[in-house]
Amino acid sequence: MVHPFLRKLRHGARLTKDNEDILGRLVQSTRLVGAREDVVPFGGAPRYLPLVVDGWACRYITLENGRRQIVSLFLPGDLCEPFGVLPRFMDHAIAALTPVVIAQIRPEAIRAAANASPRIDEALWWDLLVTSAIDREHLVSLGRRTATERLGHLFCELHLRLTMIGLVDEDEPSYDMPVTQADLGDLLGLSMVHINRSLQELRRSGMISLRDRRLSIRDLDGLRELSFFDDGYLHPFGALSLLNSSDVSDVGRTSR
Amino acid sequence: MVHPFLRKLRHGARLTKDNEDILGRLVQSTRLVGAREDVVPFGGAPRYLPLVVDGWACRYITLENGRRQIVSLFLPGDLCEPFGVLPRFMDHAIAALTPVVIAQIRPEAIRAAANASPRIDEALWWDLLVTSAIDREHLVSLGRRTATERLGHLFCELHLRLTMIGLVDEDEPSYDMPVTQADLGDLLGLSMVHINRSLQELRRSGMISLRDRRLSIRDLDGLRELSFFDDGYLHPFGALSLLNSSDVSDVGRTSR
DNA sequence: CGGGCTATTGACGCTTGTCAAGAGCGGTGG
DNA sequence: CCACCGCTCTTGACAAGCGTCAATAGCCCG
C-alpha cells in the first residue's frame, strides 16, 4: 500500500527509496474530517498544510448572496496549498466532500525535505505546476466550454488523475465518483438541474454510464474529442527543466 | 522611478535596500514584444521566466474549435510563471495585449535571491499566493457571477492592483485600460457583444465611465457591492506566516 | 412509518450568444 | 487631399443555453 502522495510524486521526479522515506515522514500526522465539514475554514490562519490521504475534498469560495463555487477538487495525494508557506489569511475554505483523512504538514518540514534532495524539490515544484495547470483548465471550462463539454472534460481529467494514484479499474475504465450532482454544479458553474440533464445527454450518447456513484467511461476517445481534452497540461511525464533529469524522451503532443 | 516589480513586492515583505538591489539585478535583461504577439508560445520549453515591466500581457489557452480563454492578466511587475522553475512544456501561451517590455529571469537566479534573504523569499511566496488568489477569484467570476458582476469585479481588482504599483490617479479613481472589448470577452468568458452591452449598463447606472481606453470609477462602493468584491484575496498587507514578520497588525476584514 | 437527502422531470423565462449591419476613426497610398 | 482599408465599437433581431421554480420518486436511516 503505497501512500497516494508518493504515488503521485513519482510521476514528477525519479524518487529514490531515501526520498520516499523523507516524504513519507511528512504525512504521518493525520486526522479525520467528516463529509461536508470544513478542513480549513474561510478567514483563518492555518497552522498546517492539509494534504488529502483518503477521500475527496475541495477548495471553495462563497459569495455574499450564497452562491458557491468549488475552485479546486482534491483527490488522495493532493496537497491543498502550495508547499513551503502557510497563508496568513484564508481567502477561501477547504472542505471535505466525502469523509476524508487529512495529513497535516508543517511548511518548515516540507521545505526542509525539498532542500534535502533535488529530486524532492523537483517533485514538489512539478506538483505545484500541475496543480496550477488543472486550475487553469478548470477556468477554461467555465469560460469557454458548454455544460456537456465541462462534464466530459472533468471525467477525462479524473480518469487521468485517478489513474496516477491507482484508483481506476482499467478494463472499461471506471472509477468511483463520490460527489452529488449539486457538488458537480458548484464545481462546473452550473445549476444542479442542468448537470442532471447534461449527464443524461452523455449517457444517451453512449459516452458514459453513471450509477451508484460509479462512473464508467464507455467511449474515452469520444469524450476527449467532445470536450477538447488534451492531457498535456497534466504533464504526465515530468514538467520541469530546472534540473537535467535527462531521461525525458519527447512525448507526443498536440502542437498548437 | 522604482521598478514595478519592486513596488509590488514591497507589499509582500519589508525589503531592505540590499534586498531591492538583489531583486533589481534580476530584471535587468529585457526585450520588447509587440501587441498581440506571443511572449512565450504554446508548447515550447521556455528558457527564461517572463516578467512584465511595462504594458499589459496575458496567459491564454485556445481550444481546438478556436474559442480562446484568457486565464490570467499580467500588469507591470507581474511574474508570468511561478518563480523557481521553468515549465518543460507550455500548456498555455503568454501574449502581449499591448506593446510590452519583458524582463527575462533565469530561475536559478531568482532561487538564489530567495535563498539569499528570508525577506526576498517571503516576498516571492507572497507573490505566488496572491497570483493564485487572483486566478481563483477569476474562476469564481466565470462560474458564479453575471456579466456586469464580472466586469465590476475586474474593475475593482484592477483598481487595487494598479494602485499597488502607482498607476491609479486617485481623485475620482481612474486608470488606463488598454484592452479591446474583444479581449475583455475572452478574459471574462463572454462574447464581445455582451461585453459591450454590459459596459453600457454600468455606465448608465453611473458606476463607471470609460472613454478612450481610460476607465474612471464613479462609484467604487457601489461597484464593490454589485460585484461581491472583497479585497481580502489580494492580501494587501502581507499573507504569509512562515516567518515571524511581527509587525503585522490585524487588518479589518469581512469574516465570512 | 416518516423525514431528509438525492436524483429526476416539466414548464417557463432570462441571460447570453450569434449573425449581421453600420458608424467612427486612424493610417496609408494614389 | 481624398479614397480606401482595417480595426473597434455599437446596435438590432433572433435563437439557444442555462437557471429557476416546483413537484415527484427513490433511497437510507432512525
Side-chain angles (χ1 to χ4, degrees):
Chain A
M1 223 32 292
V2 181
H3 196 286
F5 187 44
L6 293 181
R7 288 197 76 135
K8 189 172 65 150
L9 289 192
R10 281 175 183 170
H11 293 270
R14 310 201 136 237
L15 301 174
T16 65
K17 178 84 180 56
D18 218 42
N19 294 158
E20 300 204 348
D21 287 345
I22 294 177
L23 289 167
R25 255 173 270 136
L26 287 178
V27 292
Q28 279 177 352
S29 157
T30 63
R31 74 194 163 103
L32 239 82
V33 178
R36 279 156 215 295
E37 285 175 30
D38 273 358
V39 175
V40 184
F42 175 91
R47 292 169 46 238
Y48 299 94
L49 296 173
L51 183 145
V52 178
V53 178
D54 192 53
W56 287 28
C58 71
R59 184 204 315 278
Y60 72 91
I61 290 178
T62 307
L63 297 186
E64 283 152 41
N65 62 355
R67 286 178 284 189
R68 181 173 91 134
Q69 177 66 47
I70 293 180
V71 175
S72 315
L73 194 59
F74 298 120
L75 310 178
D78 284 344
L79 193 57
C80 303
E81 302 285 341
F83 76 93
V85 280
L86 281 176
R88 180 174 283 152
F89 163 76
M90 288 286 287
D91 54 55
H92 57 269
I94 312 276
L97 290 171
T98 69
V100 287
V101 177
I102 298 291
Q104 312 188 113
I105 309 185
R106 286 176 304 111
E108 313 86 70
I110 203 166
R111 288 175 76 126
N115 289 332
S117 152
R119 298 195 171 185
I120 293 181
D121 185 271
E122 184 185 11
L124 290 172
W125 278 103
W126 169 83
D127 184 57
L128 190 146
L129 252 54
V130 172
T131 302
S132 318
I134 289 170
D135 288 342
R136 284 194 290 268
E137 278 292 333
H138 187 190
L139 191 145
V140 172
S141 276
L142 302 199
R144 291 299 188 214
R145 279 190 258 254
T146 67
T148 52
E149 289 166 11
R150 290 181 209 186
L151 280 168
H153 193 272
L154 175 68
F155 295 153
C156 290
E157 178 184 303
L158 287 175
H159 173 247
L160 255 180
R161 288 172 68 185
L162 291 170
T163 297
M164 283 197 202
I165 53 173
L167 257 38
V168 170
D169 180 357
E170 274 302 347
D171 15 80
E172 165 153 295
S174 67
Y175 50 82
D176 285 327
M177 254 252 328
V179 295
T180 67
Q181 295 185 4
D183 290 333
L184 285 179
D186 285 346
L187 178 66
L188 299 181
L190 297 164
S191 70
M192 195 192 69
V193 173
H194 202 67
I195 290 284
N196 186 285
R197 293 191 226 264
S198 305
L199 279 175
Q200 292 180 47
E201 196 178 321
L202 286 177
R203 280 192 272 242
R204 259 186 285 109
S205 61
M207 295 288 181
I208 62 161
S209 90
L210 176 56
R211 288 189 318 275
D212 300 332
R213 302 282 165 91
R214 178 113 192 147
L215 182 93
S216 296
I217 301 187
R218 288 273 146 74
D219 179 2
L220 183 55
D221 288 339
L223 212 55
R224 288 193 153 129
E225 197 168 345
L226 169 129
S227 62
F228 308 105
F229 181 82
D230 179 351
D231 62 8
Y233 73 98
L234 291 170
H235 299 286
F237 304 102
L240 310 187
S241 59
L242 181 66
L243 306 170
N244 284 339
S245 34
S246 48
D247 55 349
V248 184
S249 60
D250 203 20
V251 219
R253 270 207 192 89
T254 325
S255 87
R256 70 150 291 143
Chain B
M1 223 33 289
V2 181
H3 196 285
F5 187 44
L6 292 180
R7 289 196 76 135
K8 189 173 66 150
L9 289 192
R10 281 175 184 171
H11 293 270
R14 309 202 136 236
L15 301 175
T16 64
K17 177 84 179 56
D18 218 41
N19 295 158
E20 300 204 348
D21 287 345
I22 294 177
L23 289 167
R25 254 173 269 135
L26 287 178
V27 293
Q28 278 176 351
S29 156
T30 64
R31 72 192 164 103
L32 239 82
V33 178
R36 279 156 217 295
E37 285 175 30
D38 273 358
V39 175
V40 184
F42 176 92
R47 291 169 47 236
Y48 298 94
L49 295 173
L51 183 145
V52 178
V53 178
D54 193 53
W56 288 28
C58 71
R59 185 203 316 277
Y60 72 92
I61 289 177
T62 307
L63 298 185
E64 283 153 40
N65 62 356
R67 286 179 283 189
R68 181 174 91 135
Q69 177 65 48
I70 293 180
V71 175
S72 315
L73 194 59
F74 299 121
L75 310 179
D78 284 345
L79 193 58
C80 303
E81 302 287 339
F83 77 92
V85 280
L86 281 177
R88 180 173 286 151
F89 162 75
M90 289 285 288
D91 54 56
H92 56 271
I94 312 277
L97 291 171
T98 69
V100 287
V101 177
I102 298 291
Q104 312 188 112
I105 309 184
R106 286 175 305 113
E108 312 86 70
I110 204 166
R111 286 174 77 127
N115 290 331
S117 154
R119 297 196 172 185
I120 293 181
D121 185 271
E122 184 185 12
L124 290 172
W125 278 102
W126 169 83
D127 183 57
L128 190 146
L129 251 55
V130 172
T131 302
S132 318
I134 290 170
D135 289 341
R136 285 195 288 269
E137 278 292 333
H138 186 191
L139 191 145
V140 172
S141 276
L142 301 200
R144 292 298 188 215
R145 279 191 258 254
T146 67
T148 51
E149 289 166 13
R150 292 180 208 185
L151 279 168
H153 193 272
L154 174 68
F155 295 154
C156 290
E157 180 185 302
L158 287 175
H159 173 246
L160 257 179
R161 289 173 68 186
L162 291 170
T163 296
M164 285 196 200
I165 52 173
L167 258 37
V168 170
D169 179 358
E170 275 301 350
D171 15 79
E172 165 153 296
S174 66
Y175 50 83
D176 285 326
M177 255 251 328
V179 295
T180 68
Q181 295 185 5
D183 289 333
L184 285 178
D186 285 345
L187 177 66
L188 298 181
L190 297 164
S191 69
M192 193 192 69
V193 173
H194 202 66
I195 290 283
N196 186 284
R197 292 191 226 265
S198 304
L199 280 175
Q200 293 180 47
E201 195 178 321
L202 285 177
R203 279 192 272 242
R204 259 186 286 109
S205 62
M207 295 288 181
I208 62 161
S209 89
L210 176 55
R211 287 189 319 274
D212 300 332
R213 302 280 165 92
R214 178 116 193 145
L215 183 93
S216 296
I217 301 187
R218 288 274 146 73
D219 180 2
L220 183 55
D221 288 340
L223 212 54
R224 288 192 153 128
E225 197 167 346
L226 169 128
S227 62
F228 308 106
F229 181 84
D230 178 351
D231 62 8
Y233 72 99
L234 291 169
H235 299 284
F237 304 102
L240 310 186
S241 59
L242 181 67
L243 305 170
N244 284 338
S245 35
S246 48
D247 55 349
V248 184
S249 60
D250 204 20
V251 217
R253 270 207 192 88
T254 327
S255 87
R256 69 140 293 136

